[in-house]
PDB file of all heavy atoms in Angstrom:
ATOM      1  N   GLU A 321     -31.121   3.365  73.766  1.00 90.00           N
ATOM      2  CA  GLU A 321     -31.798   2.802  74.935  1.00 90.00           C
ATOM      3  C   GLU A 321     -32.826   3.739  75.543  1.00 90.00           C
ATOM      4  O   GLU A 321     -33.744   3.293  76.236  1.00 90.00           O
ATOM      5  CB  GLU A 321     -30.746   2.432  75.993  1.00 90.00           C
ATOM      6  CG  GLU A 321     -29.792   1.347  75.532  1.00 90.00           C
ATOM      7  CD  GLU A 321     -28.606   1.181  76.469  1.00 90.00           C
ATOM      8  OE1 GLU A 321     -28.552   1.926  77.484  1.00 90.00           O
ATOM      9  OE2 GLU A 321     -27.751   0.320  76.203  1.00 90.00           O
ATOM     10  N   ASN A 322     -32.694   5.043  75.326  1.00 93.00           N
ATOM     11  CA  ASN A 322     -33.578   6.023  75.940  1.00 93.00           C
ATOM     12  C   ASN A 322     -34.587   6.529  74.915  1.00 93.00           C
ATOM     13  O   ASN A 322     -34.222   7.212  73.965  1.00 93.00           O
ATOM     14  CB  ASN A 322     -32.744   7.190  76.482  1.00 93.00           C
ATOM     15  CG  ASN A 322     -33.568   8.213  77.246  1.00 93.00           C
ATOM     16  OD1 ASN A 322     -34.593   8.668  76.771  1.00 93.00           O
ATOM     17  ND2 ASN A 322     -33.095   8.575  78.420  1.00 93.00           N
ATOM     18  N   PRO A 323     -35.898   6.221  75.078  1.00 94.00           N
ATOM     19  CA  PRO A 323     -36.904   6.630  74.088  1.00 94.00           C
ATOM     20  C   PRO A 323     -36.947   8.142  73.873  1.00 94.00           C
ATOM     21  O   PRO A 323     -37.091   8.599  72.729  1.00 94.00           O
ATOM     22  CB  PRO A 323     -38.210   6.112  74.685  1.00 94.00           C
ATOM     23  CG  PRO A 323     -37.807   4.973  75.555  1.00 94.00           C
ATOM     24  CD  PRO A 323     -36.477   5.378  76.140  1.00 94.00           C
ATOM     25  N   TRP A 324     -36.842   8.911  74.967  1.00 96.00           N
ATOM     26  CA  TRP A 324     -36.881  10.373  74.830  1.00 96.00           C
ATOM     27  C   TRP A 324     -35.701  10.849  73.991  1.00 96.00           C
ATOM     28  O   TRP A 324     -35.859  11.645  73.061  1.00 96.00           O
ATOM     29  CB  TRP A 324     -36.840  11.026  76.205  1.00 96.00           C
ATOM     30  CG  TRP A 324     -36.913  12.528  76.137  1.00 96.00           C
ATOM     31  CD1 TRP A 324     -38.033  13.293  76.179  1.00 96.00           C
ATOM     32  CD2 TRP A 324     -35.803  13.432  75.982  1.00 96.00           C
ATOM     33  NE1 TRP A 324     -37.694  14.628  76.062  1.00 96.00           N
ATOM     34  CE2 TRP A 324     -36.335  14.739  75.941  1.00 96.00           C
ATOM     35  CE3 TRP A 324     -34.426  13.267  75.881  1.00 96.00           C
ATOM     36  CZ2 TRP A 324     -35.532  15.864  75.801  1.00 96.00           C
ATOM     37  CZ3 TRP A 324     -33.621  14.395  75.731  1.00 96.00           C
ATOM     38  CH2 TRP A 324     -34.175  15.675  75.706  1.00 96.00           C
ATOM     39  N   LEU A 325     -34.503  10.347  74.302  1.00 95.00           N
ATOM     40  CA  LEU A 325     -33.304  10.775  73.595  1.00 95.00           C
ATOM     41  C   LEU A 325     -33.317  10.309  72.143  1.00 95.00           C
ATOM     42  O   LEU A 325     -32.903  11.043  71.240  1.00 95.00           O
ATOM     43  CB  LEU A 325     -32.070  10.236  74.320  1.00 95.00           C
ATOM     44  CG  LEU A 325     -30.709  10.743  73.856  1.00 95.00           C
ATOM     45  CD1 LEU A 325     -30.636  12.264  73.939  1.00 95.00           C
ATOM     46  CD2 LEU A 325     -29.599  10.115  74.693  1.00 95.00           C
ATOM     47  N   LYS A 326     -33.804   9.100  71.925  1.00 96.00           N
ATOM     48  CA  LYS A 326     -33.885   8.568  70.558  1.00 96.00           C
ATOM     49  C   LYS A 326     -34.746   9.469  69.685  1.00 96.00           C
ATOM     50  O   LYS A 326     -34.414   9.746  68.526  1.00 96.00           O
ATOM     51  CB  LYS A 326     -34.440   7.146  70.590  1.00 96.00           C
ATOM     52  CG  LYS A 326     -34.470   6.461  69.239  1.00 96.00           C
ATOM     53  CD  LYS A 326     -34.983   5.026  69.365  1.00 96.00           C
ATOM     54  CE  LYS A 326     -35.005   4.335  68.015  1.00 96.00           C
ATOM     55  NZ  LYS A 326     -35.508   2.937  68.123  1.00 96.00           N
ATOM     56  N   TRP A 327     -35.879   9.924  70.235  1.00 97.00           N
ATOM     57  CA  TRP A 327     -36.754  10.831  69.481  1.00 97.00           C
ATOM     58  C   TRP A 327     -36.074  12.174  69.284  1.00 97.00           C
ATOM     59  O   TRP A 327     -36.092  12.750  68.184  1.00 97.00           O
ATOM     60  CB  TRP A 327     -38.083  11.017  70.221  1.00 97.00           C
ATOM     61  CG  TRP A 327     -39.054  11.886  69.479  1.00 97.00           C
ATOM     62  CD1 TRP A 327     -39.984  11.486  68.563  1.00 97.00           C
ATOM     63  CD2 TRP A 327     -39.156  13.327  69.558  1.00 97.00           C
ATOM     64  NE1 TRP A 327     -40.677  12.579  68.078  1.00 97.00           N
ATOM     65  CE2 TRP A 327     -40.177  13.712  68.665  1.00 97.00           C
ATOM     66  CE3 TRP A 327     -38.491  14.296  70.285  1.00 97.00           C
ATOM     67  CZ2 TRP A 327     -40.557  15.044  68.502  1.00 97.00           C
ATOM     68  CZ3 TRP A 327     -38.853  15.637  70.113  1.00 97.00           C
ATOM     69  CH2 TRP A 327     -39.870  15.995  69.231  1.00 97.00           C
ATOM     70  N   PHE A 328     -35.446  12.688  70.341  1.00 97.00           N
ATOM     71  CA  PHE A 328     -34.882  14.033  70.301  1.00 97.00           C
ATOM     72  C   PHE A 328     -33.759  14.149  69.280  1.00 97.00           C
ATOM     73  O   PHE A 328     -33.677  15.153  68.559  1.00 97.00           O
ATOM     74  CB  PHE A 328     -34.375  14.425  71.691  1.00 97.00           C
ATOM     75  CG  PHE A 328     -33.818  15.825  71.747  1.00 97.00           C
ATOM     76  CD1 PHE A 328     -34.663  16.919  71.774  1.00 97.00           C
ATOM     77  CD2 PHE A 328     -32.445  16.040  71.776  1.00 97.00           C
ATOM     78  CE1 PHE A 328     -34.146  18.214  71.817  1.00 97.00           C
ATOM     79  CE2 PHE A 328     -31.919  17.316  71.819  1.00 97.00           C
ATOM     80  CZ  PHE A 328     -32.776  18.411  71.843  1.00 97.00           C
ATOM     81  N   VAL A 329     -32.859  13.175  69.185  1.00 97.00           N
ATOM     82  CA  VAL A 329     -31.735  13.293  68.257  1.00 97.00           C
ATOM     83  C   VAL A 329     -32.211  13.329  66.809  1.00 97.00           C
ATOM     84  O   VAL A 329     -31.540  13.888  65.937  1.00 97.00           O
ATOM     85  CB  VAL A 329     -30.700  12.160  68.450  1.00 97.00           C
ATOM     86  CG1 VAL A 329     -30.066  12.220  69.828  1.00 97.00           C
ATOM     87  CG2 VAL A 329     -31.307  10.796  68.186  1.00 97.00           C
ATOM     88  N   ASP A 330     -33.378  12.755  66.543  1.00 97.00           N
ATOM     89  CA  ASP A 330     -33.898  12.731  65.173  1.00 97.00           C
ATOM     90  C   ASP A 330     -34.771  13.947  64.845  1.00 97.00           C
ATOM     91  O   ASP A 330     -35.063  14.199  63.676  1.00 97.00           O
ATOM     92  CB  ASP A 330     -34.729  11.467  64.944  1.00 97.00           C
ATOM     93  CG  ASP A 330     -33.875  10.216  64.845  1.00 97.00           C
ATOM     94  OD1 ASP A 330     -32.701  10.322  64.436  1.00 97.00           O
ATOM     95  OD2 ASP A 330     -34.380   9.130  65.188  1.00 97.00           O
ATOM     96  N   TYR A 331     -35.181  14.675  65.883  1.00 98.00           N
ATOM     97  CA  TYR A 331     -36.124  15.774  65.658  1.00 98.00           C
ATOM     98  C   TYR A 331     -35.411  17.026  65.155  1.00 98.00           C
ATOM     99  O   TYR A 331     -34.457  17.508  65.755  1.00 98.00           O
ATOM    100  CB  TYR A 331     -36.884  16.108  66.941  1.00 98.00           C
ATOM    101  CG  TYR A 331     -37.754  17.343  66.797  1.00 98.00           C
ATOM    102  CD1 TYR A 331     -38.866  17.334  65.947  1.00 98.00           C
ATOM    103  CD2 TYR A 331     -37.450  18.509  67.482  1.00 98.00           C
ATOM    104  CE1 TYR A 331     -39.647  18.469  65.792  1.00 98.00           C
ATOM    105  CE2 TYR A 331     -38.233  19.645  67.339  1.00 98.00           C
ATOM    106  CZ  TYR A 331     -39.329  19.619  66.491  1.00 98.00           C
ATOM    107  OH  TYR A 331     -40.104  20.741  66.336  1.00 98.00           O
ATOM    108  N   ASP A 332     -35.896  17.555  64.038  1.00 98.00           N
ATOM    109  CA  ASP A 332     -35.411  18.809  63.468  1.00 98.00           C
ATOM    110  C   ASP A 332     -36.548  19.826  63.580  1.00 98.00           C
ATOM    111  O   ASP A 332     -37.607  19.651  62.967  1.00 98.00           O
ATOM    112  CB  ASP A 332     -35.018  18.611  62.008  1.00 98.00           C
ATOM    113  CG  ASP A 332     -34.339  19.842  61.411  1.00 98.00           C
ATOM    114  OD1 ASP A 332     -34.475  20.941  61.985  1.00 98.00           O
ATOM    115  OD2 ASP A 332     -33.681  19.706  60.356  1.00 98.00           O
ATOM    116  N   PRO A 333     -36.365  20.902  64.348  1.00 98.00           N
ATOM    117  CA  PRO A 333     -37.449  21.866  64.565  1.00 98.00           C
ATOM    118  C   PRO A 333     -37.679  22.832  63.407  1.00 98.00           C
ATOM    119  O   PRO A 333     -38.580  23.670  63.474  1.00 98.00           O
ATOM    120  CB  PRO A 333     -36.980  22.626  65.813  1.00 98.00           C
ATOM    121  CG  PRO A 333     -35.489  22.602  65.690  1.00 98.00           C
ATOM    122  CD  PRO A 333     -35.152  21.258  65.102  1.00 98.00           C
ATOM    123  N   ALA A 334     -36.887  22.716  62.343  1.00 98.00           N
ATOM    124  CA  ALA A 334     -36.940  23.705  61.259  1.00 98.00           C
ATOM    125  C   ALA A 334     -38.350  23.897  60.705  1.00 98.00           C
ATOM    126  O   ALA A 334     -38.832  25.031  60.581  1.00 98.00           O
ATOM    127  CB  ALA A 334     -35.981  23.301  60.143  1.00 98.00           C
ATOM    128  N   ALA A 335     -39.024  22.807  60.379  1.00 98.00           N
ATOM    129  CA  ALA A 335     -40.353  22.925  59.779  1.00 98.00           C
ATOM    130  C   ALA A 335     -41.345  23.560  60.739  1.00 98.00           C
ATOM    131  O   ALA A 335     -42.190  24.379  60.327  1.00 98.00           O
ATOM    132  CB  ALA A 335     -40.848  21.542  59.339  1.00 98.00           C
ATOM    133  N   ASP A 336     -41.259  23.208  62.026  1.00 98.00           N
ATOM    134  CA  ASP A 336     -42.185  23.776  63.003  1.00 98.00           C
ATOM    135  C   ASP A 336     -41.922  25.258  63.224  1.00 98.00           C
ATOM    136  O   ASP A 336     -42.866  26.047  63.362  1.00 98.00           O
ATOM    137  CB  ASP A 336     -42.086  23.013  64.332  1.00 98.00           C
ATOM    138  CG  ASP A 336     -42.708  21.627  64.242  1.00 98.00           C
ATOM    139  OD1 ASP A 336     -43.766  21.486  63.594  1.00 98.00           O
ATOM    140  OD2 ASP A 336     -42.137  20.681  64.807  1.00 98.00           O
ATOM    141  N   ILE A 337     -40.654  25.654  63.263  1.00 98.00           N
ATOM    142  CA  ILE A 337     -40.342  27.077  63.441  1.00 98.00           C
ATOM    143  C   ILE A 337     -40.810  27.872  62.225  1.00 98.00           C
ATOM    144  O   ILE A 337     -41.394  28.957  62.361  1.00 98.00           O
ATOM    145  CB  ILE A 337     -38.830  27.268  63.677  1.00 98.00           C
ATOM    146  CG1 ILE A 337     -38.412  26.598  64.998  1.00 98.00           C
ATOM    147  CG2 ILE A 337     -38.476  28.750  63.710  1.00 98.00           C
ATOM    148  CD1 ILE A 337     -36.922  26.596  65.251  1.00 98.00           C
ATOM    149  N   LYS A 338     -40.591  27.332  61.036  1.00 98.00           N
ATOM    150  CA  LYS A 338     -41.041  28.008  59.815  1.00 98.00           C
ATOM    151  C   LYS A 338     -42.556  28.180  59.788  1.00 98.00           C
ATOM    152  O   LYS A 338     -43.075  29.144  59.209  1.00 98.00           O
ATOM    153  CB  LYS A 338     -40.610  27.200  58.586  1.00 98.00           C
ATOM    154  CG  LYS A 338     -39.144  27.306  58.229  1.00 98.00           C
ATOM    155  CD  LYS A 338     -38.842  26.480  56.983  1.00 98.00           C
ATOM    156  CE  LYS A 338     -37.390  26.574  56.590  1.00 98.00           C
ATOM    157  NZ  LYS A 338     -37.092  25.748  55.387  1.00 98.00           N
ATOM    158  N   SER A 339     -43.272  27.243  60.403  1.00 98.00           N
ATOM    159  CA  SER A 339     -44.738  27.268  60.374  1.00 98.00           C
ATOM    160  C   SER A 339     -45.346  28.040  61.530  1.00 98.00           C
ATOM    161  O   SER A 339     -46.570  28.126  61.636  1.00 98.00           O
ATOM    162  CB  SER A 339     -45.276  25.830  60.393  1.00 98.00           C
ATOM    163  OG  SER A 339     -44.822  25.098  59.268  1.00 98.00           O
ATOM    164  N   THR A 340     -44.520  28.601  62.402  1.00 98.00           N
ATOM    165  CA  THR A 340     -45.014  29.345  63.560  1.00 98.00           C
ATOM    166  C   THR A 340     -45.277  30.789  63.156  1.00 98.00           C
ATOM    167  O   THR A 340     -44.345  31.548  62.887  1.00 98.00           O
ATOM    168  CB  THR A 340     -43.997  29.287  64.716  1.00 98.00           C
ATOM    169  OG1 THR A 340     -43.861  27.924  65.151  1.00 98.00           O
ATOM    170  CG2 THR A 340     -44.449  30.142  65.885  1.00 98.00           C
ATOM    171  N   ARG A 341     -46.557  31.149  63.119  1.00 97.00           N
ATOM    172  CA  ARG A 341     -46.953  32.482  62.659  1.00 97.00           C
ATOM    173  C   ARG A 341     -47.246  33.452  63.801  1.00 97.00           C
ATOM    174  O   ARG A 341     -47.371  34.660  63.569  1.00 97.00           O
ATOM    175  CB  ARG A 341     -48.205  32.368  61.773  1.00 97.00           C
ATOM    176  CG  ARG A 341     -48.012  31.483  60.547  1.00 97.00           C
ATOM    177  CD  ARG A 341     -47.073  32.116  59.547  1.00 97.00           C
ATOM    178  NE  ARG A 341     -46.768  31.228  58.430  1.00 97.00           N
ATOM    179  CZ  ARG A 341     -46.004  31.563  57.396  1.00 97.00           C
ATOM    180  NH1 ARG A 341     -45.476  32.767  57.338  1.00 97.00           N
ATOM    181  NH2 ARG A 341     -45.761  30.691  56.449  1.00 97.00           N
ATOM    182  N   CYS A 342     -47.391  32.952  65.011  1.00 98.00           N
ATOM    183  CA  CYS A 342     -47.662  33.832  66.148  1.00 98.00           C
ATOM    184  C   CYS A 342     -46.386  34.583  66.537  1.00 98.00           C
ATOM    185  O   CYS A 342     -45.276  34.175  66.160  1.00 98.00           O
ATOM    186  CB  CYS A 342     -48.192  33.027  67.333  1.00 98.00           C
ATOM    187  SG  CYS A 342     -46.982  31.884  68.057  1.00 98.00           S
ATOM    188  N   PRO A 343     -46.487  35.679  67.288  1.00 98.00           N
ATOM    189  CA  PRO A 343     -45.298  36.411  67.733  1.00 98.00           C
ATOM    190  C   PRO A 343     -44.381  35.535  68.583  1.00 98.00           C
ATOM    191  O   PRO A 343     -44.857  34.748  69.411  1.00 98.00           O
ATOM    192  CB  PRO A 343     -45.876  37.563  68.559  1.00 98.00           C
ATOM    193  CG  PRO A 343     -47.268  37.749  68.035  1.00 98.00           C
ATOM    194  CD  PRO A 343     -47.738  36.368  67.679  1.00 98.00           C
ATOM    195  N   VAL A 344     -43.061  35.692  68.394  1.00 98.00           N
ATOM    196  CA  VAL A 344     -42.073  34.875  69.102  1.00 98.00           C
ATOM    197  C   VAL A 344     -40.982  35.764  69.682  1.00 98.00           C
ATOM    198  O   VAL A 344     -40.448  36.639  68.996  1.00 98.00           O
ATOM    199  CB  VAL A 344     -41.427  33.833  68.158  1.00 98.00           C
ATOM    200  CG1 VAL A 344     -40.262  33.121  68.848  1.00 98.00           C
ATOM    201  CG2 VAL A 344     -42.455  32.828  67.678  1.00 98.00           C
ATOM    202  N   PHE A 345     -40.657  35.527  70.944  1.00 98.00           N
ATOM    203  CA  PHE A 345     -39.482  36.114  71.584  1.00 98.00           C
ATOM    204  C   PHE A 345     -38.560  34.950  71.927  1.00 98.00           C
ATOM    205  O   PHE A 345     -38.854  34.149  72.814  1.00 98.00           O
ATOM    206  CB  PHE A 345     -39.886  36.883  72.831  1.00 98.00           C
ATOM    207  CG  PHE A 345     -38.739  37.556  73.573  1.00 98.00           C
ATOM    208  CD1 PHE A 345     -37.474  37.688  73.008  1.00 98.00           C
ATOM    209  CD2 PHE A 345     -38.936  38.064  74.855  1.00 98.00           C
ATOM    210  CE1 PHE A 345     -36.431  38.303  73.688  1.00 98.00           C
ATOM    211  CE2 PHE A 345     -37.902  38.686  75.541  1.00 98.00           C
ATOM    212  CZ  PHE A 345     -36.648  38.808  74.962  1.00 98.00           C
ATOM    213  N   ALA A 346     -37.450  34.824  71.190  1.00 98.00           N
ATOM    214  CA  ALA A 346     -36.479  33.742  71.407  1.00 98.00           C
ATOM    215  C   ALA A 346     -35.214  34.332  72.003  1.00 98.00           C
ATOM    216  O   ALA A 346     -34.641  35.275  71.450  1.00 98.00           O
ATOM    217  CB  ALA A 346     -36.170  33.028  70.098  1.00 98.00           C
ATOM    218  N   LEU A 347     -34.760  33.776  73.134  1.00 98.00           N
ATOM    219  CA  LEU A 347     -33.597  34.319  73.798  1.00 98.00           C
ATOM    220  C   LEU A 347     -32.681  33.221  74.326  1.00 98.00           C
ATOM    221  O   LEU A 347     -33.112  32.114  74.632  1.00 98.00           O
ATOM    222  CB  LEU A 347     -33.994  35.259  74.930  1.00 98.00           C
ATOM    223  CG  LEU A 347     -34.989  34.783  75.994  1.00 98.00           C
ATOM    224  CD1 LEU A 347     -34.824  35.605  77.270  1.00 98.00           C
ATOM    225  CD2 LEU A 347     -36.447  34.928  75.525  1.00 98.00           C
ATOM    226  N   ASN A 348     -31.396  33.543  74.381  1.00 98.00           N
ATOM    227  CA  ASN A 348     -30.345  32.647  74.872  1.00 98.00           C
ATOM    228  C   ASN A 348     -29.296  33.471  75.611  1.00 98.00           C
ATOM    229  O   ASN A 348     -29.106  34.648  75.300  1.00 98.00           O
ATOM    230  CB  ASN A 348     -29.630  31.931  73.735  1.00 98.00           C
ATOM    231  CG  ASN A 348     -30.179  30.558  73.441  1.00 98.00           C
ATOM    232  OD1 ASN A 348     -31.012  30.410  72.551  1.00 98.00           O
ATOM    233  ND2 ASN A 348     -29.707  29.561  74.154  1.00 98.00           N
ATOM    234  N   GLY A 349     -28.595  32.822  76.542  1.00 98.00           N
ATOM    235  CA  GLY A 349     -27.416  33.427  77.126  1.00 98.00           C
ATOM    236  C   GLY A 349     -26.191  33.000  76.343  1.00 98.00           C
ATOM    237  O   GLY A 349     -26.107  31.861  75.888  1.00 98.00           O
ATOM    238  N   ASP A 350     -25.229  33.902  76.185  1.00 97.00           N
ATOM    239  CA  ASP A 350     -24.070  33.557  75.349  1.00 97.00           C
ATOM    240  C   ASP A 350     -23.114  32.591  76.036  1.00 97.00           C
ATOM    241  O   ASP A 350     -22.196  32.075  75.397  1.00 97.00           O
ATOM    242  CB  ASP A 350     -23.336  34.819  74.880  1.00 97.00           C
ATOM    243  CG  ASP A 350     -22.537  35.509  75.976  1.00 97.00           C
ATOM    244  OD1 ASP A 350     -22.751  35.209  77.171  1.00 97.00           O
ATOM    245  OD2 ASP A 350     -21.697  36.371  75.634  1.00 97.00           O
ATOM    246  N   ARG A 351     -23.325  32.302  77.343  1.00 97.00           N
ATOM    247  CA  ARG A 351     -22.502  31.312  78.028  1.00 97.00           C
ATOM    248  C   ARG A 351     -23.271  30.025  78.314  1.00 97.00           C
ATOM    249  O   ARG A 351     -22.845  29.199  79.117  1.00 97.00           O
ATOM    250  CB  ARG A 351     -21.936  31.904  79.325  1.00 97.00           C
ATOM    251  CG  ARG A 351     -20.925  33.002  79.061  1.00 97.00           C
ATOM    252  CD  ARG A 351     -20.293  33.564  80.303  1.00 97.00           C
ATOM    253  NE  ARG A 351     -19.393  34.660  79.955  1.00 97.00           N
ATOM    254  CZ  ARG A 351     -18.868  35.499  80.838  1.00 97.00           C
ATOM    255  NH1 ARG A 351     -19.142  35.372  82.120  1.00 97.00           N
ATOM    256  NH2 ARG A 351     -18.067  36.473  80.432  1.00 97.00           N
ATOM    257  N   ASP A 352     -24.386  29.869  77.647  1.00 97.00           N
ATOM    258  CA  ASP A 352     -25.160  28.634  77.738  1.00 97.00           C
ATOM    259  C   ASP A 352     -24.350  27.516  77.095  1.00 97.00           C
ATOM    260  O   ASP A 352     -24.022  27.584  75.914  1.00 97.00           O
ATOM    261  CB  ASP A 352     -26.484  28.824  77.002  1.00 97.00           C
ATOM    262  CG  ASP A 352     -27.459  27.667  77.183  1.00 97.00           C
ATOM    263  OD1 ASP A 352     -27.016  26.534  77.448  1.00 97.00           O
ATOM    264  OD2 ASP A 352     -28.682  27.897  77.039  1.00 97.00           O
ATOM    265  N   CYS A 353     -24.000  26.490  77.876  1.00 95.00           N
ATOM    266  CA  CYS A 353     -23.231  25.388  77.294  1.00 95.00           C
ATOM    267  C   CYS A 353     -24.100  24.160  77.056  1.00 95.00           C
ATOM    268  O   CYS A 353     -23.594  23.096  76.716  1.00 95.00           O
ATOM    269  CB  CYS A 353     -22.032  25.029  78.167  1.00 95.00           C
ATOM    270  SG  CYS A 353     -22.433  24.373  79.780  1.00 95.00           S
ATOM    271  N   GLN A 354     -25.416  24.299  77.212  1.00 96.00           N
ATOM    272  CA  GLN A 354     -26.335  23.212  76.900  1.00 96.00           C
ATOM    273  C   GLN A 354     -27.071  23.462  75.585  1.00 96.00           C
ATOM    274  O   GLN A 354     -27.311  22.534  74.823  1.00 96.00           O
ATOM    275  CB  GLN A 354     -27.327  23.029  78.053  1.00 96.00           C
ATOM    276  CG  GLN A 354     -26.662  22.550  79.333  1.00 96.00           C
ATOM    277  CD  GLN A 354     -27.639  22.339  80.460  1.00 96.00           C
ATOM    278  OE1 GLN A 354     -27.648  23.062  81.440  1.00 96.00           O
ATOM    279  NE2 GLN A 354     -28.481  21.331  80.337  1.00 96.00           N
ATOM    280  N   VAL A 355     -27.439  24.705  75.342  1.00 97.00           N
ATOM    281  CA  VAL A 355     -28.005  25.105  74.046  1.00 97.00           C
ATOM    282  C   VAL A 355     -27.168  26.293  73.590  1.00 97.00           C
ATOM    283  O   VAL A 355     -27.325  27.404  74.093  1.00 97.00           O
ATOM    284  CB  VAL A 355     -29.495  25.488  74.175  1.00 97.00           C
ATOM    285  CG1 VAL A 355     -30.047  25.929  72.825  1.00 97.00           C
ATOM    286  CG2 VAL A 355     -30.312  24.314  74.720  1.00 97.00           C
ATOM    287  N   ILE A 356     -26.264  26.042  72.654  1.00 97.00           N
ATOM    288  CA  ILE A 356     -25.260  27.041  72.272  1.00 97.00           C
ATOM    289  C   ILE A 356     -25.929  28.210  71.546  1.00 97.00           C
ATOM    290  O   ILE A 356     -26.538  28.042  70.483  1.00 97.00           O
ATOM    291  CB  ILE A 356     -24.166  26.419  71.393  1.00 97.00           C
ATOM    292  CG1 ILE A 356     -23.632  25.130  72.040  1.00 97.00           C
ATOM    293  CG2 ILE A 356     -23.044  27.422  71.159  1.00 97.00           C
ATOM    294  CD1 ILE A 356     -23.129  25.286  73.455  1.00 97.00           C
ATOM    295  N   ALA A 357     -25.791  29.400  72.117  1.00 97.00           N
ATOM    296  CA  ALA A 357     -26.549  30.565  71.651  1.00 97.00           C
ATOM    297  C   ALA A 357     -26.297  30.903  70.185  1.00 97.00           C
ATOM    298  O   ALA A 357     -27.240  31.124  69.414  1.00 97.00           O
ATOM    299  CB  ALA A 357     -26.235  31.767  72.536  1.00 97.00           C
ATOM    300  N   SER A 358     -25.032  30.977  69.778  1.00 95.00           N
ATOM    301  CA  SER A 358     -24.725  31.394  68.410  1.00 95.00           C
ATOM    302  C   SER A 358     -25.329  30.438  67.399  1.00 95.00           C
ATOM    303  O   SER A 358     -25.913  30.854  66.382  1.00 95.00           O
ATOM    304  CB  SER A 358     -23.208  31.478  68.216  1.00 95.00           C
ATOM    305  OG  SER A 358     -22.586  30.237  68.542  1.00 95.00           O
TER     306      SER A 358
END
Side-chain angles (χ1 to χ4, degrees):
E321 296 169 0
N322 185 311
W324 181 91
L325 189 57
K326 184 178 180 180
W327 183 90
F328 182 77
V329 297
D330 287 332
Y331 173 67
D332 187 342
D336 288 321
I337 296 174
K338 284 181 179 179
S339 300
T340 296
R341 301 291 174 178
C342 67
V344 172
F345 181 13
L347 52 158
N348 265 96
D350 73 345
R351 292 183 183 168
D352 188 335
C353 65
Q354 294 181 249
V355 179
I356 310 305
S358 56

